[in-house]
Amino acid sequence: MKEKYDFQEVEKKWQGRWAAENLYVVPDFSDRPKYYCLEMFPYPSGKLHMGHVRNYSIGDVVARFKTMEGYHVLHPMGWDAFGLPAENAAIKHGGIHPADWTGDNIDNMREQLKQLGISYDWNREVATCHPEYYRWTQWLFLQLFHQGLAYKKQAAVNWCTDCATVLANEQVKDGSCERCGAPVEKRELAQWFFKITDYAERLLKDIDLLGGWPDKVKIMQEHWIGRSEGTEIDFKVVGHDEVITVFTTRPDTIFGVTYMVLAPEHPLVEKLVAGTGREAEIKEFVRNVSNMSEIDRTSNEIEKIGLPTGAYCINPVNGEKVPVLIGNYVLLEYGTGCVMGVAAHDQRDFEFAKKYDFPIRVVIQPPGEDLDPAAMEGAYEEEGVLVNSEQFDGMPNTEAIKAITEYLEQKGWGRFRVNFRLRDWLISRQRYWGAPIPIVYCERCGTVPVPESELPVLLPREVEFRPTGQSPLAECPEFVNTVCPACGGPAKRETDTMDTFMCSSWYYFRYTSPRETAGPWDKAKVDRWLPVDQYIGGVEHAILHLLYSRFFTKVLYDLKLVSVQEPFTNLLTQGMVLKDGTKMSKSKGNVISPEDIVARYGADTARLFILFAAPPERDLEWSDQGVEGCYRFLNRVWRLVAPLADKIKSAADDAPRAKQVGANREMLRVTHGTIKKVTDDIGARFNFNTAVSAIMELVNALYQYKELPETDRDQGVLREAIDALLLLLAPFAPHITEEIWEATGHTGSIHSQPWPVYDELAIKEEEITIVVQTNGKVRERLLVPAGLSADALREKVLGEPRVQQLIEGKKLVKVIPVPDKLVNIVIK
């Protein structure tokens, strides 16, 4: 073993040997229990960042640990390779095709991952932009289409004026594109949707099955699905054959309605204002409001603005005419896109009514009080008794909710409804670099799915990349013009491509059968590996990716294509990597390059620091000193073992473990205590930082033990401690531990060895300090043999001269011994 640690030589050697020996190639089946460890696959941007390093290092520790524990571990990697950045690069630079840009980036990032020593089975690598992958993305689209879960309709969508594409609501931040910062406007386009709302109830109910998910993620999903029970009420529009339907959770307040507010985008608005002379004013208001973000429109801080349409509707329970307005705070996507104004019992409505001088009618009185609308300074929103509500007067409002709903149902004016905040998944994108939607349009046959035998519908190579607002595919006649699969006549292909979340909603199934050609996967292999036992990624994916993946899995289960209803048993969401208190970004100039760190300190140092610096779920503050410290620690491990390597090779126990005493006994205690600590920290809690800390303490103890005279040191104890050190450190620093493992006479990869098992007897201390109390006050501390029974401890303590002095001349009332902790003596 060389005297100096040369990380470049060591890491190159072992990466080459692992590849040559196919160490991480995983067979499909095994007698061992399975464990599927998966990190969210990356977009191939060209360079890994420290967030990547953190994510993949966490996953690698889990995968290596579980392998050493005896599990049959699947640990794959691939690329979420479609998406807008590749297309924007083609537009910006010219001459760079998205396929070439993406392929080069994949090659570069794959090499970076290999340099980090991550234990991926690269034989299972997938890229969503490869035809053999997106063939099955298109096939899955067709399965949803045939089940009525994929449909096309006109919809108001978020349009990024710079990226020239549709954005999901979650990609719009403060009225701007999350990616590029350009203004976002609303446009009406014919779009493809998936009916995720058909699964809303199951997605919500089955959150209870996600016991291994962080509570914050489950709460985010619950909020996004947004189930609420309430009542739909129909208000007929005066002078029109139209009905305004309102969803409310407070039907008990219906007698207090004094105005109605529609979302500006509500389809009735145009009809209601037609011929009133107010069309231009209303249209301008609609345009301005539509370009506001949902967050702004629903914020408590924003001024609530309304415009009268000139129309009225009839309150069905009392026949009153109610003015109809449009308001900037009402969203078409929530409920039915309209709200009834009950100023006396909703604070927002109260403020709106005060501003526009609408009547405030009290219909719920608090117990023992008599509210005066003219004197009210705010809405009364608590429980009470109904007034001004005809036959329901005197009824507690909690009972009136059900009674009024039943009355509305009897009259045909309303009905009980369960409403969801969740809206159908918009999958259309007006871009080239995505999976083509396998649909053609025929004048004779209408919308026709591409036959499965004709998949994949390939992306043409030669297209023009121009920010025109429609997919470059629309300008490619060789792609657009085709033959109708149903009648053989002329037809045109769909030119929108699919949202990349479609590709990432099923990739974890494909890893089980990455080269399967008869279907998207081999069901026997999917049944072997799914669900994913541990999924790891950023909390920013808590809603979209994770919710879409859950939806997809449930659809596939219903189609009997898979046997699981949830894709991920356990979820770990790691925090961000910060520099100077802010997230690393090129714009802030605070990016640390993983390549620079690996070149200067080695992959093991980079991994060790990223795992040691903070618990995985918390944000990690980058520290150059911390990196230096981890590098020094690895050198310290090397220097500890280097002079002992030859002796350790031939070491034998000088005495059985149970016979060891003194320093040898203490070294065994520290060794096995560390094994227990690290095993619990990795396996039960993912506390990698405290696991590394415990390993560092073991190294400190070994240095002290090494300094003992050889006559006082047991070579077998030393070898056992160093073996344990290497095995415990191996998942964190895979290269250096391989090298030292081999240098100390072991054969076979350290990563194929069994995980060390601690000995409970070895952990127990021979002597411990206990507290002696008199009447609850600490009086003495004594060193006693560990493990004494209560009676033996009582006898031992009472026999101590110092204790006898404490109780001399006193009446001994009671002695309360707590083994290995304390003895409380009660005296008078």
mmCIF file of all heavy atoms in Angstrom, residues 152-160 165-167 184-193 263-270 283 286-287 290-291 297 332-333 426 428 430 469-470 496:
data_model
loop_
_atom_site.group_PDB
_atom_site.id
_atom_site.type_symbol
_atom_site.label_atom_id
_atom_site.label_comp_id
_atom_site.label_asym_id
_atom_site.label_seq_id
_atom_site.Cartn_x
_atom_site.Cartn_y
_atom_site.Cartn_z
ATOM 1 N N LYS A 152 -59.597 16.190 -26.618
ATOM 2 C CA LYS A 152 -59.158 17.489 -27.111
ATOM 3 C C LYS A 152 -60.305 18.488 -27.003
ATOM 4 O O LYS A 152 -61.456 18.157 -27.293
ATOM 5 C CB LYS A 152 -58.704 17.385 -28.566
ATOM 6 C CG LYS A 152 -57.955 18.607 -29.078
ATOM 7 C CD LYS A 152 -57.395 18.361 -30.481
ATOM 8 C CE LYS A 152 -56.475 19.508 -30.897
ATOM 9 N NZ LYS A 152 -55.891 19.289 -32.245
ATOM 10 N N LYS A 153 -59.971 19.710 -26.563
ATOM 11 C CA LYS A 153 -60.993 20.753 -26.476
ATOM 12 C C LYS A 153 -60.327 22.112 -26.564
ATOM 13 O O LYS A 153 -59.119 22.260 -26.370
ATOM 14 C CB LYS A 153 -61.769 20.641 -25.159
ATOM 15 C CG LYS A 153 -60.961 21.025 -23.941
ATOM 16 C CD LYS A 153 -61.832 21.129 -22.696
ATOM 17 C CE LYS A 153 -61.014 21.613 -21.485
ATOM 18 N NZ LYS A 153 -61.821 21.781 -20.279
ATOM 19 N N GLN A 154 -61.145 23.123 -26.870
ATOM 20 C CA GLN A 154 -60.678 24.502 -26.836
ATOM 21 C C GLN A 154 -60.484 24.909 -25.383
ATOM 22 O O GLN A 154 -61.333 24.620 -24.531
ATOM 23 C CB GLN A 154 -61.694 25.435 -27.496
ATOM 24 C CG GLN A 154 -61.723 25.357 -29.012
ATOM 25 C CD GLN A 154 -60.525 26.037 -29.645
ATOM 26 O OE1 GLN A 154 -59.845 25.457 -30.472
ATOM 27 N NE2 GLN A 154 -60.252 27.271 -29.257
ATOM 28 N N ALA A 155 -59.391 25.572 -25.115
ATOM 29 C CA ALA A 155 -59.133 25.968 -23.739
ATOM 30 C C ALA A 155 -58.295 27.227 -23.707
ATOM 31 O O ALA A 155 -57.467 27.470 -24.589
ATOM 32 C CB ALA A 155 -58.413 24.843 -22.991
ATOM 33 N N ALA A 156 -58.547 28.029 -22.679
ATOM 34 C CA ALA A 156 -57.688 29.182 -22.422
ATOM 35 C C ALA A 156 -56.421 28.671 -21.757
ATOM 36 O O ALA A 156 -56.479 28.017 -20.715
ATOM 37 C CB ALA A 156 -58.397 30.183 -21.515
ATOM 38 N N VAL A 157 -55.287 28.949 -22.372
ATOM 39 C CA VAL A 157 -54.026 28.416 -21.868
ATOM 40 C C VAL A 157 -53.049 29.548 -21.587
ATOM 41 O O VAL A 157 -53.185 30.662 -22.083
ATOM 42 C CB VAL A 157 -53.400 27.424 -22.875
ATOM 43 C CG1 VAL A 157 -54.301 26.220 -23.082
ATOM 44 C CG2 VAL A 157 -53.115 28.114 -24.218
ATOM 45 N N ASN A 158 -52.043 29.226 -20.764
ATOM 46 C CA ASN A 158 -50.963 30.172 -20.493
ATOM 47 C C ASN A 158 -49.965 30.116 -21.650
ATOM 48 O O ASN A 158 -49.436 29.055 -21.965
ATOM 49 C CB ASN A 158 -50.248 29.799 -19.192
ATOM 50 C CG ASN A 158 -51.175 29.770 -18.006
ATOM 51 O OD1 ASN A 158 -51.890 30.730 -17.746
ATOM 52 N ND2 ASN A 158 -51.181 28.664 -17.277
ATOM 53 N N TRP A 159 -49.709 31.265 -22.249
ATOM 54 C CA TRP A 159 -48.820 31.307 -23.407
ATOM 55 C C TRP A 159 -47.610 32.173 -23.083
ATOM 56 O O TRP A 159 -47.735 33.362 -22.765
ATOM 57 C CB TRP A 159 -49.554 31.879 -24.621
ATOM 58 C CG TRP A 159 -48.695 31.891 -25.855
ATOM 59 C CD1 TRP A 159 -47.977 32.936 -26.350
ATOM 60 C CD2 TRP A 159 -48.441 30.790 -26.723
ATOM 61 N NE1 TRP A 159 -47.292 32.551 -27.485
ATOM 62 C CE2 TRP A 159 -47.566 31.231 -27.728
ATOM 63 C CE3 TRP A 159 -48.876 29.457 -26.740
ATOM 64 C CZ2 TRP A 159 -47.113 30.410 -28.745
ATOM 65 C CZ3 TRP A 159 -48.427 28.637 -27.759
ATOM 66 C CH2 TRP A 159 -47.564 29.113 -28.751
ATOM 67 N N CYS A 160 -46.413 31.561 -23.124
ATOM 68 C CA CYS A 160 -45.187 32.312 -22.905
ATOM 69 C C CYS A 160 -44.816 33.016 -24.201
ATOM 70 O O CYS A 160 -44.613 32.369 -25.238
ATOM 71 C CB CYS A 160 -44.048 31.408 -22.447
ATOM 72 S SG CYS A 160 -42.464 32.278 -22.324
ATOM 73 N N THR A 165 -44.762 28.851 -26.301
ATOM 74 C CA THR A 165 -45.375 27.561 -26.023
ATOM 75 C C THR A 165 -46.337 27.690 -24.856
ATOM 76 O O THR A 165 -46.347 28.683 -24.129
ATOM 77 C CB THR A 165 -44.320 26.488 -25.719
ATOM 78 O OG1 THR A 165 -44.927 25.196 -25.712
ATOM 79 C CG2 THR A 165 -43.650 26.729 -24.377
ATOM 80 N N VAL A 166 -47.152 26.664 -24.687
ATOM 81 C CA VAL A 166 -48.104 26.604 -23.580
ATOM 82 C C VAL A 166 -47.367 26.231 -22.297
ATOM 83 O O VAL A 166 -46.455 25.404 -22.302
ATOM 84 C CB VAL A 166 -49.202 25.565 -23.884
ATOM 85 C CG1 VAL A 166 -50.060 25.298 -22.657
ATOM 86 C CG2 VAL A 166 -50.072 26.043 -25.034
ATOM 87 N N LEU A 167 -47.788 26.835 -21.200
ATOM 88 C CA LEU A 167 -47.229 26.522 -19.894
ATOM 89 C C LEU A 167 -48.341 26.005 -18.989
ATOM 90 O O LEU A 167 -49.486 26.478 -19.057
ATOM 91 C CB LEU A 167 -46.605 27.763 -19.250
ATOM 92 C CG LEU A 167 -45.490 28.475 -20.013
ATOM 93 C CD1 LEU A 167 -45.080 29.732 -19.238
ATOM 94 C CD2 LEU A 167 -44.292 27.559 -20.209
ATOM 95 N N VAL A 184 -46.512 36.216 -19.499
ATOM 96 C CA VAL A 184 -47.399 35.127 -19.909
ATOM 97 C C VAL A 184 -48.780 35.715 -20.169
ATOM 98 O O VAL A 184 -49.280 36.527 -19.390
ATOM 99 C CB VAL A 184 -47.468 34.040 -18.827
ATOM 100 C CG1 VAL A 184 -48.528 32.998 -19.175
ATOM 101 C CG2 VAL A 184 -46.106 33.372 -18.657
ATOM 102 N N GLU A 185 -49.372 35.328 -21.287
ATOM 103 C CA GLU A 185 -50.721 35.794 -21.617
ATOM 104 C C GLU A 185 -51.627 34.598 -21.854
ATOM 105 O O GLU A 185 -51.167 33.464 -21.985
ATOM 106 C CB GLU A 185 -50.684 36.685 -22.861
ATOM 107 C CG GLU A 185 -50.171 35.988 -24.110
ATOM 108 C CD GLU A 185 -50.045 36.933 -25.294
ATOM 109 O OE1 GLU A 185 -49.668 38.111 -25.093
ATOM 110 O OE2 GLU A 185 -50.320 36.472 -26.420
ATOM 111 N N LYS A 186 -52.916 34.850 -21.871
ATOM 112 C CA LYS A 186 -53.898 33.805 -22.114
ATOM 113 C C LYS A 186 -54.227 33.733 -23.609
ATOM 114 O O LYS A 186 -54.361 34.763 -24.268
ATOM 115 C CB LYS A 186 -55.182 34.068 -21.329
ATOM 116 C CG LYS A 186 -55.037 33.924 -19.826
ATOM 117 C CD LYS A 186 -54.915 32.466 -19.401
ATOM 118 C CE LYS A 186 -54.918 32.342 -17.891
ATOM 119 N NZ LYS A 186 -54.821 30.946 -17.459
ATOM 120 N N ARG A 187 -54.318 32.484 -24.107
ATOM 121 C CA ARG A 187 -54.740 32.277 -25.493
ATOM 122 C C ARG A 187 -55.738 31.124 -25.540
ATOM 123 O O ARG A 187 -55.691 30.206 -24.725
ATOM 124 C CB ARG A 187 -53.547 31.920 -26.386
ATOM 125 C CG ARG A 187 -52.630 33.085 -26.700
ATOM 126 C CD ARG A 187 -51.678 32.732 -27.832
ATOM 127 N NE ARG A 187 -50.762 33.819 -28.141
ATOM 128 C CZ ARG A 187 -49.858 33.777 -29.109
ATOM 129 N NH1 ARG A 187 -49.753 32.690 -29.867
ATOM 130 N NH2 ARG A 187 -49.054 34.804 -29.327
ATOM 131 N N GLU A 188 -56.610 31.190 -26.496
ATOM 132 C CA GLU A 188 -57.560 30.107 -26.732
ATOM 133 C C GLU A 188 -56.973 29.177 -27.786
ATOM 134 O O GLU A 188 -56.724 29.595 -28.918
ATOM 135 C CB GLU A 188 -58.910 30.654 -27.202
ATOM 136 C CG GLU A 188 -59.753 31.269 -26.111
ATOM 137 C CD GLU A 188 -60.434 30.230 -25.231
ATOM 138 O OE1 GLU A 188 -60.661 29.088 -25.713
ATOM 139 O OE2 GLU A 188 -60.719 30.544 -24.061
ATOM 140 N N LEU A 189 -56.725 27.939 -27.409
ATOM 141 C CA LEU A 189 -56.165 26.956 -28.338
ATOM 142 C C LEU A 189 -56.878 25.626 -28.157
ATOM 143 O O LEU A 189 -57.354 25.301 -27.059
ATOM 144 C CB LEU A 189 -54.662 26.756 -28.094
ATOM 145 C CG LEU A 189 -53.714 27.928 -28.387
ATOM 146 C CD1 LEU A 189 -52.304 27.551 -27.952
ATOM 147 C CD2 LEU A 189 -53.749 28.292 -29.851
ATOM 148 N N ALA A 190 -56.931 24.844 -29.227
ATOM 149 C CA ALA A 190 -57.416 23.465 -29.132
ATOM 150 C C ALA A 190 -56.292 22.621 -28.550
ATOM 151 O O ALA A 190 -55.197 22.566 -29.112
ATOM 152 C CB ALA A 190 -57.832 22.943 -30.508
ATOM 153 N N GLN A 191 -56.551 21.989 -27.418
ATOM 154 C CA GLN A 191 -55.498 21.306 -26.655
ATOM 155 C C GLN A 191 -55.930 19.895 -26.257
ATOM 156 O O GLN A 191 -57.126 19.628 -26.057
ATOM 157 C CB GLN A 191 -55.207 22.091 -25.372
ATOM 158 C CG GLN A 191 -54.797 23.537 -25.599
ATOM 159 C CD GLN A 191 -53.365 23.661 -26.048
ATOM 160 O OE1 GLN A 191 -52.444 23.486 -25.271
ATOM 161 N NE2 GLN A 191 -53.176 23.940 -27.318
ATOM 162 N N TRP A 192 -54.927 19.040 -26.099
ATOM 163 C CA TRP A 192 -55.174 17.681 -25.603
ATOM 164 C C TRP A 192 -55.041 17.656 -24.086
ATOM 165 O O TRP A 192 -54.140 18.274 -23.517
ATOM 166 C CB TRP A 192 -54.197 16.687 -26.224
ATOM 167 C CG TRP A 192 -54.578 16.296 -27.624
ATOM 168 C CD1 TRP A 192 -54.120 16.845 -28.779
ATOM 169 C CD2 TRP A 192 -55.507 15.281 -27.991
ATOM 170 N NE1 TRP A 192 -54.710 16.241 -29.869
ATOM 171 C CE2 TRP A 192 -55.570 15.264 -29.411
ATOM 172 C CE3 TRP A 192 -56.304 14.380 -27.288
ATOM 173 C CZ2 TRP A 192 -56.384 14.386 -30.109
ATOM 174 C CZ3 TRP A 192 -57.117 13.500 -27.987
ATOM 175 C CH2 TRP A 192 -57.153 13.511 -29.387
ATOM 176 N N PHE A 193 -55.946 16.916 -23.452
ATOM 177 C CA PHE A 193 -55.971 16.782 -21.993
ATOM 178 C C PHE A 193 -56.055 15.313 -21.597
ATOM 179 O O PHE A 193 -56.595 14.486 -22.340
ATOM 180 C CB PHE A 193 -57.197 17.498 -21.399
ATOM 181 C CG PHE A 193 -57.178 18.987 -21.507
ATOM 182 C CD1 PHE A 193 -57.570 19.625 -22.687
ATOM 183 C CD2 PHE A 193 -56.782 19.763 -20.430
ATOM 184 C CE1 PHE A 193 -57.565 21.005 -22.780
ATOM 185 C CE2 PHE A 193 -56.786 21.148 -20.520
ATOM 186 C CZ PHE A 193 -57.168 21.770 -21.692
ATOM 187 N N ALA A 263 -66.349 34.740 -13.133
ATOM 188 C CA ALA A 263 -64.978 34.894 -13.606
ATOM 189 C C ALA A 263 -65.005 35.609 -14.947
ATOM 190 O O ALA A 263 -65.912 35.371 -15.766
ATOM 191 C CB ALA A 263 -64.300 33.534 -13.753
ATOM 192 N N PRO A 264 -64.050 36.496 -15.222
ATOM 193 C CA PRO A 264 -64.057 37.209 -16.510
ATOM 194 C C PRO A 264 -64.045 36.273 -17.708
ATOM 195 O O PRO A 264 -64.566 36.614 -18.774
ATOM 196 C CB PRO A 264 -62.783 38.048 -16.448
ATOM 197 C CG PRO A 264 -62.520 38.234 -14.986
ATOM 198 C CD PRO A 264 -62.971 36.956 -14.338
ATOM 199 N N GLU A 265 -63.432 35.078 -17.541
ATOM 200 C CA GLU A 265 -63.333 34.127 -18.665
ATOM 201 C C GLU A 265 -64.563 33.230 -18.786
ATOM 202 O O GLU A 265 -64.616 32.355 -19.663
ATOM 203 C CB GLU A 265 -62.087 33.238 -18.476
ATOM 204 C CG GLU A 265 -60.787 33.985 -18.291
ATOM 205 C CD GLU A 265 -60.463 34.269 -16.823
ATOM 206 O OE1 GLU A 265 -61.396 34.163 -15.974
ATOM 207 O OE2 GLU A 265 -59.311 34.595 -16.522
ATOM 208 N N HIS A 266 -65.551 33.394 -17.919
ATOM 209 C CA HIS A 266 -66.731 32.517 -17.919
ATOM 210 C C HIS A 266 -67.422 32.596 -19.284
ATOM 211 O O HIS A 266 -67.611 33.688 -19.844
ATOM 212 C CB HIS A 266 -67.700 32.947 -16.817
ATOM 213 C CG HIS A 266 -68.723 31.908 -16.488
ATOM 214 N ND1 HIS A 266 -69.764 31.594 -17.337
ATOM 215 C CD2 HIS A 266 -68.869 31.108 -15.404
ATOM 216 C CE1 HIS A 266 -70.512 30.650 -16.786
ATOM 217 N NE2 HIS A 266 -69.990 30.336 -15.597
ATOM 218 N N PRO A 267 -67.792 31.454 -19.852
ATOM 219 C CA PRO A 267 -68.391 31.457 -21.204
ATOM 220 C C PRO A 267 -69.692 32.239 -21.299
ATOM 221 O O PRO A 267 -70.093 32.636 -22.405
ATOM 222 C CB PRO A 267 -68.619 29.968 -21.490
ATOM 223 C CG PRO A 267 -68.542 29.280 -20.159
ATOM 224 C CD PRO A 267 -67.618 30.082 -19.320
ATOM 225 N N LEU A 268 -70.376 32.520 -20.194
ATOM 226 C CA LEU A 268 -71.627 33.281 -20.256
ATOM 227 C C LEU A 268 -71.404 34.785 -20.406
ATOM 228 O O LEU A 268 -72.322 35.508 -20.813
ATOM 229 C CB LEU A 268 -72.451 33.037 -18.975
ATOM 230 C CG LEU A 268 -73.282 31.757 -18.899
ATOM 231 C CD1 LEU A 268 -74.041 31.718 -17.585
ATOM 232 C CD2 LEU A 268 -74.259 31.684 -20.069
ATOM 233 N N VAL A 269 -70.217 35.252 -20.073
ATOM 234 C CA VAL A 269 -69.987 36.704 -20.035
ATOM 235 C C VAL A 269 -70.292 37.340 -21.384
ATOM 236 O O VAL A 269 -70.988 38.356 -21.483
ATOM 237 C CB VAL A 269 -68.540 37.015 -19.586
ATOM 238 C CG1 VAL A 269 -68.232 38.508 -19.775
ATOM 239 C CG2 VAL A 269 -68.347 36.604 -18.134
ATOM 240 N N GLU A 270 -69.754 36.754 -22.445
ATOM 241 C CA GLU A 270 -69.950 37.333 -23.783
ATOM 242 C C GLU A 270 -71.430 37.395 -24.146
ATOM 243 O O GLU A 270 -71.897 38.382 -24.728
ATOM 244 C CB GLU A 270 -69.178 36.495 -24.814
ATOM 245 C CG GLU A 270 -69.115 37.130 -26.185
ATOM 246 C CD GLU A 270 -68.203 36.359 -27.137
ATOM 247 O OE1 GLU A 270 -67.378 35.548 -26.654
ATOM 248 O OE2 GLU A 270 -68.329 36.563 -28.360
ATOM 249 N N LYS A 283 -64.507 43.510 -22.567
ATOM 250 C CA LYS A 283 -63.460 42.747 -23.240
ATOM 251 C C LYS A 283 -62.077 43.182 -22.766
ATOM 252 O O LYS A 283 -61.182 42.349 -22.552
ATOM 253 C CB LYS A 283 -63.586 42.915 -24.759
ATOM 254 C CG LYS A 283 -62.655 42.029 -25.557
ATOM 255 C CD LYS A 283 -62.939 42.150 -27.062
ATOM 256 C CE LYS A 283 -62.022 41.215 -27.851
ATOM 257 N NZ LYS A 283 -62.291 41.314 -29.306
ATOM 258 N N VAL A 286 -61.520 41.802 -19.290
ATOM 259 C CA VAL A 286 -61.243 40.359 -19.363
ATOM 260 C C VAL A 286 -59.800 40.113 -19.786
ATOM 261 O O VAL A 286 -59.096 39.273 -19.212
ATOM 262 C CB VAL A 286 -62.220 39.669 -20.334
ATOM 263 C CG1 VAL A 286 -61.786 38.222 -20.585
ATOM 264 C CG2 VAL A 286 -63.638 39.708 -19.780
ATOM 265 N N ARG A 287 -59.333 40.866 -20.782
ATOM 266 C CA ARG A 287 -57.972 40.682 -21.266
ATOM 267 C C ARG A 287 -56.948 40.989 -20.178
ATOM 268 O O ARG A 287 -55.996 40.238 -19.958
ATOM 269 C CB ARG A 287 -57.716 41.569 -22.483
ATOM 270 C CG ARG A 287 -56.389 41.281 -23.201
ATOM 271 C CD ARG A 287 -56.145 42.281 -24.340
ATOM 272 N NE ARG A 287 -55.929 43.618 -23.831
ATOM 273 C CZ ARG A 287 -54.754 44.040 -23.349
ATOM 274 N NH1 ARG A 287 -53.717 43.214 -23.309
ATOM 275 N NH2 ARG A 287 -54.621 45.275 -22.900
ATOM 276 N N SER A 290 -57.122 38.319 -17.343
ATOM 277 C CA SER A 290 -56.677 36.997 -17.777
ATOM 278 C C SER A 290 -55.157 36.865 -17.757
ATOM 279 O O SER A 290 -54.624 35.764 -17.643
ATOM 280 C CB SER A 290 -57.201 36.684 -19.176
ATOM 281 O OG SER A 290 -58.607 36.613 -19.176
ATOM 282 N N ASN A 291 -54.461 37.973 -17.874
ATOM 283 C CA ASN A 291 -53.001 37.932 -17.876
ATOM 284 C C ASN A 291 -52.396 37.995 -16.476
ATOM 285 O O ASN A 291 -51.181 37.979 -16.316
ATOM 286 C CB ASN A 291 -52.430 39.074 -18.726
ATOM 287 C CG ASN A 291 -52.667 38.842 -20.207
ATOM 288 O OD1 ASN A 291 -52.717 37.698 -20.655
ATOM 289 N ND2 ASN A 291 -52.808 39.918 -20.968
ATOM 290 N N ARG A 297 -54.486 36.979 -8.360
ATOM 291 C CA ARG A 297 -55.936 37.160 -8.388
ATOM 292 C C ARG A 297 -56.596 36.711 -7.096
ATOM 293 O O ARG A 297 -57.659 37.238 -6.726
ATOM 294 C CB ARG A 297 -56.539 36.414 -9.579
ATOM 295 C CG ARG A 297 -56.221 37.078 -10.902
ATOM 296 C CD ARG A 297 -56.741 36.286 -12.081
ATOM 297 N NE ARG A 297 -58.200 36.156 -12.091
ATOM 298 C CZ ARG A 297 -58.880 35.570 -13.060
ATOM 299 N NH1 ARG A 297 -58.231 35.077 -14.115
ATOM 300 N NH2 ARG A 297 -60.197 35.476 -13.002
ATOM 301 N N LEU A 332 -62.078 30.899 -13.229
ATOM 302 C CA LEU A 332 -62.899 29.946 -13.983
ATOM 303 C C LEU A 332 -62.607 28.513 -13.560
ATOM 304 O O LEU A 332 -63.480 27.651 -13.563
ATOM 305 C CB LEU A 332 -62.644 30.119 -15.487
ATOM 306 C CG LEU A 332 -63.440 29.211 -16.424
ATOM 307 C CD1 LEU A 332 -64.947 29.488 -16.294
ATOM 308 C CD2 LEU A 332 -62.990 29.394 -17.868
ATOM 309 N N GLU A 333 -61.340 28.231 -13.173
ATOM 310 C CA GLU A 333 -60.921 26.872 -12.876
ATOM 311 C C GLU A 333 -61.425 26.373 -11.524
ATOM 312 O O GLU A 333 -61.363 25.181 -11.241
ATOM 313 C CB GLU A 333 -59.384 26.773 -12.899
ATOM 314 C CG GLU A 333 -58.761 26.954 -14.278
ATOM 315 C CD GLU A 333 -58.632 28.423 -14.650
ATOM 316 O OE1 GLU A 333 -58.878 29.280 -13.780
ATOM 317 O OE2 GLU A 333 -58.298 28.717 -15.815
ATOM 318 N N LEU A 426 -53.317 19.204 -18.895
ATOM 319 C CA LEU A 426 -53.080 19.704 -20.247
ATOM 320 C C LEU A 426 -51.735 19.185 -20.745
ATOM 321 O O LEU A 426 -50.694 19.519 -20.188
ATOM 322 C CB LEU A 426 -53.084 21.228 -20.226
ATOM 323 C CG LEU A 426 -52.618 21.975 -21.483
ATOM 324 C CD1 LEU A 426 -53.483 21.622 -22.678
ATOM 325 C CD2 LEU A 426 -52.626 23.469 -21.229
ATOM 326 N N SER A 428 -50.732 19.128 -24.270
ATOM 327 C CA SER A 428 -50.287 19.647 -25.574
ATOM 328 C C SER A 428 -49.181 20.682 -25.399
ATOM 329 O O SER A 428 -49.263 21.549 -24.534
ATOM 330 C CB SER A 428 -51.449 20.304 -26.313
ATOM 331 O OG SER A 428 -52.399 19.353 -26.723
ATOM 332 N N GLN A 430 -46.711 23.247 -28.035
ATOM 333 C CA GLN A 430 -46.472 23.697 -29.402
ATOM 334 C C GLN A 430 -44.960 23.772 -29.643
ATOM 335 O O GLN A 430 -44.386 24.820 -29.851
ATOM 336 C CB GLN A 430 -47.131 25.054 -29.643
ATOM 337 C CG GLN A 430 -48.634 24.994 -29.663
ATOM 338 C CD GLN A 430 -49.226 24.683 -28.301
ATOM 339 O OE1 GLN A 430 -48.799 25.222 -27.293
ATOM 340 N NE2 GLN A 430 -50.208 23.794 -28.257
ATOM 341 N N GLY A 469 -44.787 30.500 -32.636
ATOM 342 C CA GLY A 469 -46.003 30.297 -31.845
ATOM 343 C C GLY A 469 -46.700 28.989 -32.162
ATOM 344 O O GLY A 469 -47.717 28.681 -31.560
ATOM 345 N N GLN A 470 -46.200 28.245 -33.114
ATOM 346 C CA GLN A 470 -46.724 26.906 -33.351
ATOM 347 C C GLN A 470 -45.550 25.952 -33.510
ATOM 348 O O GLN A 470 -44.415 26.358 -33.709
ATOM 349 C CB GLN A 470 -47.620 26.864 -34.584
ATOM 350 C CG GLN A 470 -46.938 27.182 -35.899
ATOM 351 C CD GLN A 470 -47.904 27.082 -37.079
ATOM 352 O OE1 GLN A 470 -49.050 26.712 -36.911
ATOM 353 N NE2 GLN A 470 -47.423 27.418 -38.263
ATOM 354 N N ASP A 496 -48.895 19.069 -32.412
ATOM 355 C CA ASP A 496 -48.455 19.302 -31.039
ATOM 356 C C ASP A 496 -47.701 18.063 -30.544
ATOM 357 O O ASP A 496 -47.962 16.939 -30.991
ATOM 358 C CB ASP A 496 -49.640 19.557 -30.112
ATOM 359 C CG ASP A 496 -50.197 20.960 -30.264
ATOM 360 O OD1 ASP A 496 -49.605 21.749 -31.027
ATOM 361 O OD2 ASP A 496 -51.225 21.257 -29.632
#
